[in-house]
Amino acid sequence: MSEVVSIQWFPGHMAKTRRLMKENLKMVDIVVELRDARIPKSSRNPEIEKLVGDKPRMIVLNKSDEADPNATAKWIDYYEGYGVKTVAIDCKSGKGLNKVVSTAKEILKDKFDKLAEKGIIGRPVRMMIVGIPNVGKSSFINKMAGGKRAKVEDRPGVTRDKQWVKVEGGVELLDMPGVLWPKFEDPKVGEFLAFTGAIKDDILDIEHLAMRLLELMAKEYPKNLMERYNIKEEEIQDLDGYDLLMLVGRKRGFLVSGGNINTERTAITVVDEYRSGKLGKISLEMPPQKNKPQKAEDFDD
């Protein structure tokens, strides 16, 4: 079994994001936190609960088309069991996007009914959109706005400053820069974030990352692994991450002089194919199986 590597990453602009969030909370009605449906727990920022406080909130599980649908359904049930409305979407296809606004309005119904009683009618619903880097916030906002309104790049940490975006249905979105937290208490969190591309690849050992991913797939999704790389079940029995990487490299014909396996090329291929969904619908996390915590903000711990 390959060792879990501890990953720490907290660029200076992320401290600025925390301040921006706190300062702008009073300007919005609800906080919408985007998470990666493949890693709902690891793609949360535990500081968001502290920053949001009593402000209404909802969770949006993006990239649901790349996640195991059974796992996603269990996560939705889990979060809603704690009273946190949760919607699964996929920004690439637009699946589930229509539920975001309707769910937000459902959550805010009492507030807007009271505003109507005071004669305030037609005020837009103001939503703060938050989430870690590369979770798809810009793609989400662009889809909601019907065009490219936010800068989108396939690398973490692109959105650096807040921006307001008006969308149909009487809604205004406040886009906040992606933010991670200073320390990952559980090293697996950093690892899962690295698998999905939320952490910059240039600070990682890509071969070690691929070995860990292959180990996880061999345990939880062996059929996906066998189908993608034309591997027989008996070939992956009791193999560790290094041997799995060598096996995939050999199956793909990634050879260098002397007939050796090009492990770097193999590792890059494995990680890229996972991130692009070519390895199938894979969820790396399932909801915790334990008693309900005392405080609502602790439901992810």
Side-chain angles (χ1 to χ4, degrees), residues 180-288:
L180 285 170
W181 50 104
K183 184 179 181 182
F184 307 135
E185 298 294 342
D186 183 350
K188 284 188 177 181
V189 171
E191 190 172 77
F192 288 165
L193 291 169
F195 288 154
T196 60
I199 295 175
K200 295 178 181 178
D201 286 338
D202 56 11
I203 69 169
L204 305 169
D205 180 339
I206 193 70
E207 292 176 51
H208 184 88
L209 191 65
M211 285 188 272
R212 291 287 300 164
L213 180 57
L214 287 169
E215 284 179 346
L216 188 149
M217 286 197 62
K219 180 181 178 182
E220 303 294 341
Y221 294 91
K223 289 184 179 180
N224 297 57
L225 189 61
M226 291 186 289
E227 289 176 5
R228 182 63 187 172
Y229 299 116
N230 194 27
I231 296 171
K232 297 178 181 178
E233 185 174 0
E234 58 269 21
E235 290 182 287
I236 62 174
Q237 296 297 321
D238 302 320
L239 294 187
D240 62 14
Y242 176 77
D243 290 333
L244 287 167
L245 187 68
M246 296 292 284
L247 177 61
V248 170
R250 189 162 57 251
K251 291 288 185 178
R252 276 297 178 91
F254 292 161
L255 305 177
V256 292
S257 59
N260 295 317
I261 305 297
N262 186 333
T263 53
E264 182 180 12
R265 183 183 177 190
T266 305
I268 291 171
T269 297
V270 169
V271 174
D272 283 350
E273 291 191 341
Y274 167 70
R275 292 175 181 171
S276 65
K278 292 179 181 178
L279 294 179
K281 298 179 183 295
I282 295 172
S283 292
L284 303 178
E285 294 178 323
M286 293 295 289

Side-chain angles (χ1 to χ4, degrees), residues 18 40 63 69 84 111 147 172 174 176 202 204 228 237 268-269 276-277 297:
R18 290 190 300 184
K63 306 185 182 182
V84 181
K111 177 178 181 176
E172 295 180 356
L174 177 57
M176 302 299 291
D202 56 11
L204 305 169
R228 182 63 187 172
Q237 296 297 321
I268 291 171
T269 297
S276 65
E297 61 265 28

Side-chain angles (χ1 to χ4, degrees), residues 107-217:
I107 295 170
L108 297 170
K109 184 178 184 303
D110 288 347
K111 177 178 181 176
F112 277 78
D113 283 348
K114 290 177 182 178
L115 289 175
E117 289 173 2
K118 297 177 181 178
I120 302 174
I121 299 173
R123 182 175 79 71
V125 175
R126 299 188 178 104
M127 303 162 60
M128 178 184 284
I129 312 300
V130 300
I132 66 169
N134 216 37
V135 78
K137 288 193 300 88
S138 294
S139 296
F140 168 76
I141 289 171
N142 290 338
K143 279 283 188 181
M144 293 287 286
K148 287 188 176 269
R149 300 293 299 275
K151 186 176 181 182
V152 177
E153 290 188 27
D154 189 20
R155 61 186 179 89
V158 170
T159 306
R160 294 297 178 89
D161 298 302
K162 69 174 185 179
Q163 54 180 326
W164 282 99
V165 178
K166 291 184 178 181
V167 302
E168 291 182 1
V171 175
E172 295 180 356
L173 308 179
L174 177 57
D175 183 19
M176 302 299 291
V179 58
L180 285 170
W181 50 104
K183 184 179 181 182
F184 307 135
E185 298 294 342
D186 183 350
K188 284 188 177 181
V189 171
E191 190 172 77
F192 288 165
L193 291 169
F195 288 154
T196 60
I199 295 175
K200 295 178 181 178
D201 286 338
D202 56 11
I203 69 169
L204 305 169
D205 180 339
I206 193 70
E207 292 176 51
H208 184 88
L209 191 65
M211 285 188 272
R212 291 287 300 164
L213 180 57
L214 287 169
E215 284 179 346
L216 188 149
M217 286 197 62

Side-chain angles (χ1 to χ4, degrees), residues 37 61 68-79 88 283 286-287:
L61 298 177
D68 183 333
N70 294 324
T72 300
K74 290 179 180 179
W75 276 108
I76 291 173
D77 288 343
Y78 175 77
Y79 288 134
S283 292
M286 293 295 289

